[in-house]
Amino acid sequence: MKKIPVGIVGVSGYTGLELLKMLLEHPHLELVYAANTEGGVRVGALHPSLQGVSDLSVEKADPKEAAKRCELLFLALPHQSAMEFAKEVLSLGKKVVDLSADYRLSLERYEAHYCPHLDKDNLSHAVYGLIEWAREEIAQARLIANPGCYPTATLLGILPFIPYLDEDSSLFVDAKSGVSGAGKKLTHNTHYPTINENLFAYSPLSHRHEPEIAEKIELWGKKAKKVNFIPHLMPLTRGMLVSTFARLKEPVDAMAILRGRYANEPFIRLRSSPVEIKAVAGTHFCDIYAMSQGRDLWVNSAIDNLLRGASSQAIANANLMLGLPEGAGLPRFAYAP
């Protein structure tokens, strides 16, 4: 079977590196185009871990050149830059998996939390790529809004319970991420003396992923829920642990509800005890555990923030868009011990 040519725009960051690693060994996709804003370097120089693995040239990003050579483009660009590139590539008849926030939200919510939207036409038909909840739509899509890492871990855990929740209660989400989720650019929070041997909340009740979580609960749960989202930064390179607290209408068997929804999902692992980051780091799996006491519900989920929360989810979405096996090229073995 001839491999399908694909490209990455934005190879310099952590998600770009993860895409490179998976695509270089993908059984059905051929990486023929790698680009960033400057070009003029090889991937092995940009990412020393790839020296001796690939000598692919990194080019200066050009939508026309990318569309000429690729059937599908992965965009690992900042918000706003992504939609500018995507708009032109889509007009040339190619498919796009966008890892930024540019197509994840409704126009009103996007402009309230990010910036004026520059591609309203494509926004209207973008599909939110949470695979277990939108598999059929993804397979028919030309443009995928790859979900954020915090929303992925939160939504996969809480969505099966939405019909069972008290109508008037709020959700409380306690989320903890490794430092790689903040990207390569150094900030005070990610500076080693700040994060080492430390743990702290940031942007409590005001993080941009809060409206993303709320909007998708309304989309798939068919009801609006108030989401109180508090993210934390941990002194880990990668991994994400989310605890969601909710109020039930009446007592339920929490794990039975999860089994009923996810029994046949190959990349959802239902655990018999609280989840841990080390079991998912380096993989596409989402591990979930839940328990209730009376009407109080706790849902516990873990993912690799760079993989299931970004790059491997993008690969899985591309697989479906291109008619390939969903699990092709996805990492399954954790970085353990």
Side-chain angles (χ1 to χ4, degrees), residues 24 41-45 50-58:
L24 287 170
V41 68
R42 294 190 180 275
V43 295
L50 295 182
Q51 287 184 9
V53 176
S54 173
D55 64 352
L56 186 68
S57 294
V58 178

Side-chain angles (χ1 to χ4, degrees), residues 131 267 280 282-286 307-308 312-313 316 330-332:
I131 289 169
F267 290 101
V280 295
T283 81
H284 183 65
F285 290 112
C286 176
L307 291 173
R308 185 53 186 259
S312 67
Q313 188 148 245
L330 300 183
R332 299 169 182 264

Side-chain angles (χ1 to χ4, degrees), residues 25-87:
E25 294 198 329
H26 197 287
H28 307 298
L29 302 179
E30 181 181 5
L31 181 61
V32 300
Y33 183 82
N36 61 13
T37 56
E38 298 175 350
V41 68
R42 294 190 180 275
V43 295
L46 194 61
H47 297 293
S49 61
L50 295 182
Q51 287 184 9
V53 176
S54 173
D55 64 352
L56 186 68
S57 294
V58 178
E59 305 174 36
K60 185 173 182 178
D62 181 320
K64 290 185 176 62
E65 184 63 24
K68 185 191 304 182
R69 290 155 56 182
C70 303
E71 291 300 315
L72 179 145
L73 270 295
F74 297 92
L75 303 186
L77 296 168
H79 73 271
Q80 191 168 4
S81 298
M83 60 180 146
E84 293 174 353
F85 201 96
K87 184 176 182 179

Side-chain angles (χ1 to χ4, degrees), residues 11 50 57 66 83 148 161 230 238 249 268 284 287 323 334:
V11 296
L50 295 182
S57 294
M83 60 180 146
F161 295 100
I230 301 94
R238 64 198 304 155
K249 294 176 185 176
I268 300 287
H284 183 65
D287 285 2

Side-chain angles (χ1 to χ4, degrees), residues 99-162:
L99 281 76
S100 83
D102 281 349
Y103 297 97
R104 292 175 186 163
L105 294 164
S106 64
L107 178 62
E108 180 182 1
R109 278 182 164 139
Y110 181 87
E111 293 191 336
H113 294 277
Y114 289 90
C115 63
H117 207 283
L118 307 176
D119 189 20
K120 296 180 178 67
D121 290 341
N122 285 314
L123 177 63
S124 66
H125 64 73
V127 174
Y128 190 76
L130 194 65
I131 289 169
E132 287 79 6
W133 292 83
R135 189 174 275 113
E136 293 182 4
E137 294 89 341
I138 292 166
Q140 302 301 317
R142 292 182 57 243
L143 170 61
I144 293 295
N146 209 57
C149 50
Y150 283 127
T152 294
T154 304
L155 290 167
L156 288 174
I158 197 61
L159 278 172
F161 295 100
I162 299 302

Side-chain angles (χ1 to χ4, degrees), residues 252-313:
V252 300
D253 183 335
M255 290 305 298
I257 289 171
L258 288 175
R259 286 191 295 270
R261 181 59 181 79
Y262 291 135
N264 298 314
E265 290 293 349
F267 290 101
I268 300 287
R269 298 189 300 195
L270 302 181
R271 296 297 196 176
S272 58
S273 58
V275 301
E276 57 180 273
I277 284 174
K278 201 158 192 177
V280 295
T283 81
H284 183 65
F285 290 112
C286 176
D287 285 2
I288 309 174
Y289 173 75
M291 64 183 299
S292 60
Q293 286 189 334
R295 293 174 59 203
D296 294 328
L297 174 70
W298 171 52
V299 185
N300 188 211
S301 54
I303 62 169
D304 185 309
N305 58 298
L306 291 178
L307 291 173
R308 185 53 186 259
S311 298
S312 67
Q313 188 148 245

